[in-house]
Structure formats: structure tokens, C-alpha cells
């Protein structure tokens, strides 16, 4: 006899959760990528200047920056971005914000 109460309680919890999500569905937009540009700019500067030192070792550390640097070097070397070989940090940042995934 407890099963109907459990189903009602679960349904109520799911509906309350859905209401909270839908009421704040636009939270943070259009500023979805609020700190990623910092890492993108550092990685872009490393690529353009051919300097392996990011000159910043804060959270999350250089691991993310080196990964982005390698990823962007690969993308621009393979020509996936469609840009010319002379790449500027603005090109890399523009590529990131157009293709964030």
C-alpha cells in the first residue's frame, strides 16, 4: 500500500525540481564562458610568441593552459579553423567563442 505514496512523493519532487530549473533557465547567459577567455588568451599568447612559459600558474594551473595550447596548435596546423598560417591571439579567441565545444 506504500507504493502509491512513493510514486506521488517522487512525482512531486521531480515537478518541484523541474520548476526550479525552468525558473532559472537563462541564468548566466550570455556570459556562459566567464573565465575561459583567460586560459584561451594565455594559450594563444604562448602559441604566437613561441614561449612555453605561461607566466601564470594559478588555479587550475598550467595543465589546462598547456592542453589548450596543444589543442589549438593542432587545430591550426591541420587547418580545421580555416585561417591562414599566421595566427594571432585574436584569431584563436574568435575561433574559441564561435566553436566552444
Amino acid at each position: 500500500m506504500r507504493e502509491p505514496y512513493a510514486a506521488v512523493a517522487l512525482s512531486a519532487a521531480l515537478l518541484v525540481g523541474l520548476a526550479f530549473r525552468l525558473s532559472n533557465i537563462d541564468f548566466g547567459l550570455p556570459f556562459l564562458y566567464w573565465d575561459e577567455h583567460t586560459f584561451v588568451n594565455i594559450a594563444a599568447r604562448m602559441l604566437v610568441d613561441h614561449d612555453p612559459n605561461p607566466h601564470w600558474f594559478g588555479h587550475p594551473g598550467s595543465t589546462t593552459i598547456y592542453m589548450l595550447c596543444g589543442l589549438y596548435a593542432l587545430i591550426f596546423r591541420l587547418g580545421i579553423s580555416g585561417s591562414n598560417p599566421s595566427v594571432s591571439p585574436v584569431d584563436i579567441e574568435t575561433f574559441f567563442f564561435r566553436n566552444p565545444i
Side-chain angles (χ1 to χ4, degrees):
M1 213 53 176
R2 286 190 239 173
E3 290 83 17
Y5 296 116
V8 169
L10 179 62
S11 298
L14 290 174
L15 286 174
V16 169
L18 179 65
F20 280 131
R21 292 226 183 232
L22 292 178
S23 68
N24 294 313
I25 198 162
D26 62 345
F27 177 77
L29 295 175
F31 303 107
L32 185 60
Y33 308 107
W34 62 277
D35 66 342
E36 282 82 0
H37 66 88
T38 303
F39 306 118
V40 171
N41 287 338
I42 293 171
R45 180 62 48 206
M46 288 172 60
L47 284 174
V48 171
D49 293 344
H50 302 287
D51 183 12
N53 185 357
H55 301 283
W56 182 77
F57 296 95
H59 174 73
S62 59
T63 306
T64 302
I65 296 168
Y66 285 119
M67 182 199 62
L68 283 174
C69 192
L71 180 67
Y72 291 141
L74 181 67
I75 287 171
F76 279 90
R77 283 288 170 218
L78 294 177
I80 296 171
S81 67
S83 69
N84 58 6
S86 61
V87 178
S88 72
V90 175
D91 293 335
I92 295 173
E93 188 173 16
T94 302
F95 176 73
F96 169 73
F97 283 113
R98 286 187 182 159
N99 306 296
I101 294 178

